[in-house]
PDB file of all heavy atoms in Angstrom:
ATOM      1  N   PHE A 262       3.616 -22.195  18.717  1.00  0.00           N
ATOM      2  CA  PHE A 262       4.239 -23.325  19.383  1.00  0.00           C
ATOM      3  C   PHE A 262       3.369 -23.954  20.457  1.00  0.00           C
ATOM      4  O   PHE A 262       3.470 -25.130  20.726  1.00  0.00           O
ATOM      5  CB  PHE A 262       5.578 -22.893  19.985  1.00  0.00           C
ATOM      6  CG  PHE A 262       6.537 -22.468  18.937  1.00  0.00           C
ATOM      7  CD1 PHE A 262       6.723 -21.138  18.653  1.00  0.00           C
ATOM      8  CD2 PHE A 262       7.205 -23.421  18.187  1.00  0.00           C
ATOM      9  CE1 PHE A 262       7.586 -20.756  17.651  1.00  0.00           C
ATOM     10  CE2 PHE A 262       8.071 -23.046  17.182  1.00  0.00           C
ATOM     11  CZ  PHE A 262       8.259 -21.708  16.915  1.00  0.00           C
ATOM     12  N   LEU A 263       2.533 -23.142  21.072  1.00  0.00           N
ATOM     13  CA  LEU A 263       1.770 -23.661  22.189  1.00  0.00           C
ATOM     14  C   LEU A 263       0.355 -24.016  21.746  1.00  0.00           C
ATOM     15  O   LEU A 263      -0.354 -23.176  21.215  1.00  0.00           O
ATOM     16  CB  LEU A 263       1.736 -22.597  23.292  1.00  0.00           C
ATOM     17  CG  LEU A 263       1.421 -23.104  24.679  1.00  0.00           C
ATOM     18  CD1 LEU A 263       2.427 -24.150  25.110  1.00  0.00           C
ATOM     19  CD2 LEU A 263       1.435 -21.950  25.645  1.00  0.00           C
ATOM     20  N   PRO A 264      -0.073 -25.246  21.978  1.00  0.00           N
ATOM     21  CA  PRO A 264      -1.428 -25.628  21.593  1.00  0.00           C
ATOM     22  C   PRO A 264      -2.418 -25.125  22.637  1.00  0.00           C
ATOM     23  O   PRO A 264      -2.045 -24.844  23.783  1.00  0.00           O
ATOM     24  CB  PRO A 264      -1.354 -27.150  21.608  1.00  0.00           C
ATOM     25  CG  PRO A 264      -0.367 -27.439  22.694  1.00  0.00           C
ATOM     26  CD  PRO A 264       0.651 -26.338  22.642  1.00  0.00           C
ATOM     27  N   GLU A 265      -3.663 -24.988  22.251  1.00  0.00           N
ATOM     28  CA  GLU A 265      -4.745 -24.709  23.213  1.00  0.00           C
ATOM     29  C   GLU A 265      -4.362 -23.575  24.155  1.00  0.00           C
ATOM     30  O   GLU A 265      -4.612 -23.639  25.357  1.00  0.00           O
ATOM     31  CB  GLU A 265      -5.053 -25.959  24.056  1.00  0.00           C
ATOM     32  CG  GLU A 265      -5.252 -27.224  23.260  1.00  0.00           C
ATOM     33  CD  GLU A 265      -6.679 -27.362  22.762  1.00  0.00           C
ATOM     34  OE1 GLU A 265      -7.583 -26.738  23.354  1.00  0.00           O
ATOM     35  OE2 GLU A 265      -6.870 -28.049  21.747  1.00  0.00           O
ATOM     36  N   HIS A 266      -3.743 -22.519  23.600  1.00  0.00           N
ATOM     37  CA  HIS A 266      -3.190 -21.534  24.519  1.00  0.00           C
ATOM     38  C   HIS A 266      -4.242 -20.595  25.116  1.00  0.00           C
ATOM     39  O   HIS A 266      -3.918 -19.774  25.937  1.00  0.00           O
ATOM     40  CB  HIS A 266      -2.047 -20.746  23.876  1.00  0.00           C
ATOM     41  CG  HIS A 266      -2.392 -20.180  22.534  1.00  0.00           C
ATOM     42  ND1 HIS A 266      -1.930 -20.736  21.378  1.00  0.00           N
ATOM     43  CD2 HIS A 266      -3.154 -19.138  22.188  1.00  0.00           C
ATOM     44  CE1 HIS A 266      -2.402 -20.044  20.356  1.00  0.00           C
ATOM     45  NE2 HIS A 266      -3.143 -19.079  20.817  1.00  0.00           N
ATOM     46  N   THR A 267      -5.491 -20.719  24.695  1.00  0.00           N
ATOM     47  CA  THR A 267      -6.524 -19.963  25.414  1.00  0.00           C
ATOM     48  C   THR A 267      -7.293 -20.864  26.371  1.00  0.00           C
ATOM     49  O   THR A 267      -8.049 -20.376  27.192  1.00  0.00           O
ATOM     50  CB  THR A 267      -7.537 -19.321  24.453  1.00  0.00           C
ATOM     51  OG1 THR A 267      -8.210 -20.360  23.754  1.00  0.00           O
ATOM     52  CG2 THR A 267      -6.847 -18.407  23.469  1.00  0.00           C
ATOM     53  N   THR A 268      -7.101 -22.159  26.274  1.00  0.00           N
ATOM     54  CA  THR A 268      -7.860 -23.036  27.171  1.00  0.00           C
ATOM     55  C   THR A 268      -6.925 -23.780  28.125  1.00  0.00           C
ATOM     56  O   THR A 268      -6.496 -23.228  29.118  1.00  0.00           O
ATOM     57  CB  THR A 268      -8.743 -24.014  26.371  1.00  0.00           C
ATOM     58  OG1 THR A 268      -7.921 -24.706  25.433  1.00  0.00           O
ATOM     59  CG2 THR A 268      -9.820 -23.269  25.615  1.00  0.00           C
ATOM     60  N   ASP A 269      -6.605 -25.030  27.800  1.00  0.00           N
ATOM     61  CA  ASP A 269      -5.875 -25.850  28.762  1.00  0.00           C
ATOM     62  C   ASP A 269      -4.480 -25.325  29.081  1.00  0.00           C
ATOM     63  O   ASP A 269      -3.959 -25.556  30.160  1.00  0.00           O
ATOM     64  CB  ASP A 269      -5.785 -27.292  28.255  1.00  0.00           C
ATOM     65  CG  ASP A 269      -7.129 -27.991  28.319  1.00  0.00           C
ATOM     66  OD1 ASP A 269      -8.065 -27.369  28.880  1.00  0.00           O
ATOM     67  OD2 ASP A 269      -7.261 -29.106  27.816  1.00  0.00           O
ATOM     68  N   PHE A 270      -3.850 -24.638  28.123  1.00  0.00           N
ATOM     69  CA  PHE A 270      -2.467 -24.222  28.349  1.00  0.00           C
ATOM     70  C   PHE A 270      -2.336 -22.726  28.661  1.00  0.00           C
ATOM     71  O   PHE A 270      -1.270 -22.149  28.509  1.00  0.00           O
ATOM     72  CB  PHE A 270      -1.605 -24.591  27.138  1.00  0.00           C
ATOM     73  CG  PHE A 270      -1.198 -26.042  27.138  1.00  0.00           C
ATOM     74  CD1 PHE A 270      -1.994 -27.005  26.538  1.00  0.00           C
ATOM     75  CD2 PHE A 270      -0.030 -26.445  27.756  1.00  0.00           C
ATOM     76  CE1 PHE A 270      -1.629 -28.336  26.548  1.00  0.00           C
ATOM     77  CE2 PHE A 270       0.344 -27.786  27.766  1.00  0.00           C
ATOM     78  CZ  PHE A 270      -0.455 -28.735  27.165  1.00  0.00           C
ATOM     79  N   ILE A 271      -3.421 -22.104  29.089  1.00  0.00           N
ATOM     80  CA  ILE A 271      -3.356 -20.658  29.321  1.00  0.00           C
ATOM     81  C   ILE A 271      -2.429 -20.319  30.489  1.00  0.00           C
ATOM     82  O   ILE A 271      -1.847 -19.240  30.546  1.00  0.00           O
ATOM     83  CB  ILE A 271      -4.770 -20.082  29.553  1.00  0.00           C
ATOM     84  CG1 ILE A 271      -4.746 -18.564  29.357  1.00  0.00           C
ATOM     85  CG2 ILE A 271      -5.315 -20.464  30.919  1.00  0.00           C
ATOM     86  CD1 ILE A 271      -6.117 -17.943  29.247  1.00  0.00           C
ATOM     87  N   PHE A 272      -2.265 -21.255  31.415  1.00  0.00           N
ATOM     88  CA  PHE A 272      -1.386 -21.031  32.557  1.00  0.00           C
ATOM     89  C   PHE A 272       0.045 -20.790  32.071  1.00  0.00           C
ATOM     90  O   PHE A 272       0.794 -19.996  32.657  1.00  0.00           O
ATOM     91  CB  PHE A 272      -1.444 -22.237  33.501  1.00  0.00           C
ATOM     92  CG  PHE A 272      -1.018 -21.940  34.917  1.00  0.00           C
ATOM     93  CD1 PHE A 272      -1.079 -22.949  35.874  1.00  0.00           C
ATOM     94  CD2 PHE A 272      -0.574 -20.685  35.304  1.00  0.00           C
ATOM     95  CE1 PHE A 272      -0.708 -22.702  37.190  1.00  0.00           C
ATOM     96  CE2 PHE A 272      -0.196 -20.429  36.624  1.00  0.00           C
ATOM     97  CZ  PHE A 272      -0.254 -21.441  37.558  1.00  0.00           C
ATOM     98  N   ALA A 273       0.407 -21.471  30.965  1.00  0.00           N
ATOM     99  CA  ALA A 273       1.754 -21.284  30.421  1.00  0.00           C
ATOM    100  C   ALA A 273       1.910 -19.858  29.901  1.00  0.00           C
ATOM    101  O   ALA A 273       2.968 -19.238  30.061  1.00  0.00           O
ATOM    102  CB  ALA A 273       2.015 -22.295  29.312  1.00  0.00           C
ATOM    103  N   VAL A 274       0.852 -19.327  29.292  1.00  0.00           N
ATOM    104  CA  VAL A 274       0.884 -17.942  28.818  1.00  0.00           C
ATOM    105  C   VAL A 274       1.100 -17.009  30.002  1.00  0.00           C
ATOM    106  O   VAL A 274       1.959 -16.121  29.983  1.00  0.00           O
ATOM    107  CB  VAL A 274      -0.439 -17.582  28.102  1.00  0.00           C
ATOM    108  CG1 VAL A 274      -0.401 -16.149  27.620  1.00  0.00           C
ATOM    109  CG2 VAL A 274      -0.696 -18.533  26.954  1.00  0.00           C
ATOM    110  N   PHE A 275       0.310 -17.238  31.033  1.00  0.00           N
ATOM    111  CA  PHE A 275       0.417 -16.408  32.238  1.00  0.00           C
ATOM    112  C   PHE A 275       1.827 -16.490  32.826  1.00  0.00           C
ATOM    113  O   PHE A 275       2.443 -15.472  33.162  1.00  0.00           O
ATOM    114  CB  PHE A 275      -0.621 -16.858  33.268  1.00  0.00           C
ATOM    115  CG  PHE A 275      -0.592 -16.050  34.539  1.00  0.00           C
ATOM    116  CD1 PHE A 275      -1.337 -14.867  34.645  1.00  0.00           C
ATOM    117  CD2 PHE A 275       0.166 -16.457  35.631  1.00  0.00           C
ATOM    118  CE1 PHE A 275      -1.304 -14.122  35.807  1.00  0.00           C
ATOM    119  CE2 PHE A 275       0.202 -15.709  36.794  1.00  0.00           C
ATOM    120  CZ  PHE A 275      -0.544 -14.532  36.883  1.00  0.00           C
ATOM    121  N   SER A 276       2.349 -17.703  32.918  1.00  0.00           N
ATOM    122  CA  SER A 276       3.676 -17.892  33.518  1.00  0.00           C
ATOM    123  C   SER A 276       4.754 -17.195  32.718  1.00  0.00           C
ATOM    124  O   SER A 276       5.703 -16.653  33.274  1.00  0.00           O
ATOM    125  CB  SER A 276       4.025 -19.380  33.584  1.00  0.00           C
ATOM    126  OG  SER A 276       2.960 -20.105  34.101  1.00  0.00           O
ATOM    127  N   GLU A 277       4.599 -17.219  31.381  1.00  0.00           N
ATOM    128  CA  GLU A 277       5.600 -16.592  30.551  1.00  0.00           C
ATOM    129  C   GLU A 277       5.565 -15.068  30.724  1.00  0.00           C
ATOM    130  O   GLU A 277       6.600 -14.411  30.757  1.00  0.00           O
ATOM    131  CB  GLU A 277       5.397 -16.956  29.084  1.00  0.00           C
ATOM    132  CG  GLU A 277       6.530 -16.453  28.203  1.00  0.00           C
ATOM    133  CD  GLU A 277       6.317 -16.746  26.731  1.00  0.00           C
ATOM    134  OE1 GLU A 277       5.172 -17.049  26.354  1.00  0.00           O
ATOM    135  OE2 GLU A 277       7.289 -16.653  25.978  1.00  0.00           O
ATOM    136  N   GLU A 278       4.369 -14.533  30.850  1.00  0.00           N
ATOM    137  CA  GLU A 278       4.247 -13.078  30.861  1.00  0.00           C
ATOM    138  C   GLU A 278       4.445 -12.469  32.249  1.00  0.00           C
ATOM    139  O   GLU A 278       4.821 -11.312  32.375  1.00  0.00           O
ATOM    140  CB  GLU A 278       2.876 -12.675  30.300  1.00  0.00           C
ATOM    141  CG  GLU A 278       2.735 -13.108  28.843  1.00  0.00           C
ATOM    142  CD  GLU A 278       1.478 -12.602  28.180  1.00  0.00           C
ATOM    143  OE1 GLU A 278       0.590 -12.098  28.903  1.00  0.00           O
ATOM    144  OE2 GLU A 278       1.390 -12.710  26.949  1.00  0.00           O
ATOM    145  N   TRP A 279       4.171 -13.258  33.300  1.00  0.00           N
ATOM    146  CA  TRP A 279       4.255 -12.697  34.659  1.00  0.00           C
ATOM    147  C   TRP A 279       5.338 -13.328  35.519  1.00  0.00           C
ATOM    148  O   TRP A 279       5.539 -12.902  36.660  1.00  0.00           O
ATOM    149  CB  TRP A 279       2.896 -12.802  35.361  1.00  0.00           C
ATOM    150  CG  TRP A 279       1.851 -12.006  34.645  1.00  0.00           C
ATOM    151  CD1 TRP A 279       0.880 -12.480  33.812  1.00  0.00           C
ATOM    152  CD2 TRP A 279       1.695 -10.591  34.649  1.00  0.00           C
ATOM    153  NE1 TRP A 279       0.137 -11.462  33.299  1.00  0.00           N
ATOM    154  CE2 TRP A 279       0.606 -10.267  33.802  1.00  0.00           C
ATOM    155  CE3 TRP A 279       2.371  -9.538  35.290  1.00  0.00           C
ATOM    156  CZ2 TRP A 279       0.176  -8.968  33.574  1.00  0.00           C
ATOM    157  CZ3 TRP A 279       1.937  -8.242  35.067  1.00  0.00           C
ATOM    158  CH2 TRP A 279       0.853  -7.965  34.213  1.00  0.00           C
ATOM    159  N   GLY A 280       5.965 -14.347  35.006  1.00  0.00           N
ATOM    160  CA  GLY A 280       7.096 -14.929  35.721  1.00  0.00           C
ATOM    161  C   GLY A 280       6.704 -15.622  37.013  1.00  0.00           C
ATOM    162  O   GLY A 280       5.532 -15.801  37.327  1.00  0.00           O
ATOM    163  N   LEU A 281       7.723 -16.001  37.782  1.00  0.00           N
ATOM    164  CA  LEU A 281       7.490 -16.727  39.034  1.00  0.00           C
ATOM    165  C   LEU A 281       6.706 -15.886  40.033  1.00  0.00           C
ATOM    166  O   LEU A 281       5.859 -16.395  40.769  1.00  0.00           O
ATOM    167  CB  LEU A 281       8.834 -17.152  39.639  1.00  0.00           C
ATOM    168  CG  LEU A 281       8.756 -18.037  40.875  1.00  0.00           C
ATOM    169  CD1 LEU A 281       8.044 -19.345  40.541  1.00  0.00           C
ATOM    170  CD2 LEU A 281      10.147 -18.326  41.423  1.00  0.00           C
ATOM    171  N   ILE A 282       6.974 -14.570  40.047  1.00  0.00           N
ATOM    172  CA  ILE A 282       6.246 -13.682  40.957  1.00  0.00           C
ATOM    173  C   ILE A 282       4.748 -13.779  40.681  1.00  0.00           C
ATOM    174  O   ILE A 282       3.937 -13.970  41.596  1.00  0.00           O
ATOM    175  CB  ILE A 282       6.717 -12.217  40.764  1.00  0.00           C
ATOM    176  CG1 ILE A 282       8.233 -12.103  40.919  1.00  0.00           C
ATOM    177  CG2 ILE A 282       5.962 -11.290  41.708  1.00  0.00           C
ATOM    178  CD1 ILE A 282       8.737 -12.188  42.332  1.00  0.00           C
ATOM    179  N   GLY A 283       4.387 -13.645  39.422  1.00  0.00           N
ATOM    180  CA  GLY A 283       2.974 -13.725  39.047  1.00  0.00           C
ATOM    181  C   GLY A 283       2.381 -15.070  39.408  1.00  0.00           C
ATOM    182  O   GLY A 283       1.268 -15.166  39.928  1.00  0.00           O
ATOM    183  N   VAL A 284       3.151 -16.131  39.142  1.00  0.00           N
ATOM    184  CA  VAL A 284       2.667 -17.479  39.451  1.00  0.00           C
ATOM    185  C   VAL A 284       2.408 -17.609  40.946  1.00  0.00           C
ATOM    186  O   VAL A 284       1.379 -18.140  41.375  1.00  0.00           O
ATOM    187  CB  VAL A 284       3.690 -18.537  38.976  1.00  0.00           C
ATOM    188  CG1 VAL A 284       3.338 -19.913  39.529  1.00  0.00           C
ATOM    189  CG2 VAL A 284       3.741 -18.585  37.457  1.00  0.00           C
ATOM    190  N   ALA A 285       3.361 -17.092  41.746  1.00  0.00           N
ATOM    191  CA  ALA A 285       3.218 -17.180  43.202  1.00  0.00           C
ATOM    192  C   ALA A 285       1.964 -16.438  43.658  1.00  0.00           C
ATOM    193  O   ALA A 285       1.200 -16.931  44.502  1.00  0.00           O
ATOM    194  CB  ALA A 285       4.456 -16.607  43.881  1.00  0.00           C
TER     195      ALA A 285
END
Side-chain angles (χ1 to χ4, degrees):
Chain A
F262 297 99
L263 200 58
E265 311 275 338
H266 50 256
T267 63
T268 54
D269 289 353
F270 280 89
I271 198 167
F272 202 178
V274 180
F275 181 87
S276 313
E277 187 183 17
E278 297 187 348
W279 298 102
L281 186 61
I282 305 285
V284 169

